[in-house]
Amino acid sequence: MYELRIGAYKGYDPTTDFISSKYIPRTGELIKKYRIYDGDNDKRYYWTLEVQSVHYELFEDKSCMPVVYANVIKDELIEEGCNE
């Protein structure tokens, strides 16, 4: 598991998510098809993210969690909601 922090993008505030994965992406790698739902506009997107850096947050019990910082480099509309 790692914490994913995405920088601000086209009016979206910075986003934090927790990803359950044994694989930790490396700096420069792409995370493809990260799904976003824009509730204000009722649209769904896939974002392609580029990993900027990877750090580790150390807790008091000496355990740690990887923190992946990424920026959006591409967005793709997958579904637009219907307005009734």
Side-chain angles (χ1 to χ4, degrees), residues 1-18:
M1 175 177 252
Y2 63 90
E3 182 177 347
L4 176 62
R5 295 186 185 175
I6 304 169
Y9 178 74
K10 289 187 180 179
Y12 291 95
D13 291 332
T15 305
T16 300
D17 196 2
F18 292 92

Side-chain angles (χ1 to χ4, degrees), residues 34-78:
Y34 180 79
R35 190 181 306 189
I36 292 292
Y37 173 67
D38 183 351
D40 293 338
N41 297 318
D42 200 26
K43 295 180 182 179
R44 298 180 197 284
Y45 295 93
Y46 278 140
W47 281 357
T48 299
L49 309 172
E50 181 178 19
V51 176
Q52 300 301 308
S53 62
V54 179
H55 299 274
Y56 291 84
E57 183 176 344
L58 184 62
F59 302 108
E60 287 183 20
D61 67 354
K62 305 295 186 213
S63 64
C64 66
M65 175 178 284
V67 180
V68 176
Y69 293 86
N71 289 327
V72 180
I73 59 171
K74 180 182 173 188
D75 62 355
E76 176 184 351
L77 181 66
I78 36 176

Side-chain angles (χ1 to χ4, degrees), residues 22-40:
K22 292 181 181 179
Y23 173 76
I24 307 301
R26 296 179 182 170
T27 301
E29 288 187 343
L30 299 180
I31 300 171
K32 297 181 180 180
K33 295 198 173 187
Y34 180 79
R35 190 181 306 189
I36 292 292
Y37 173 67
D38 183 351
D40 293 338

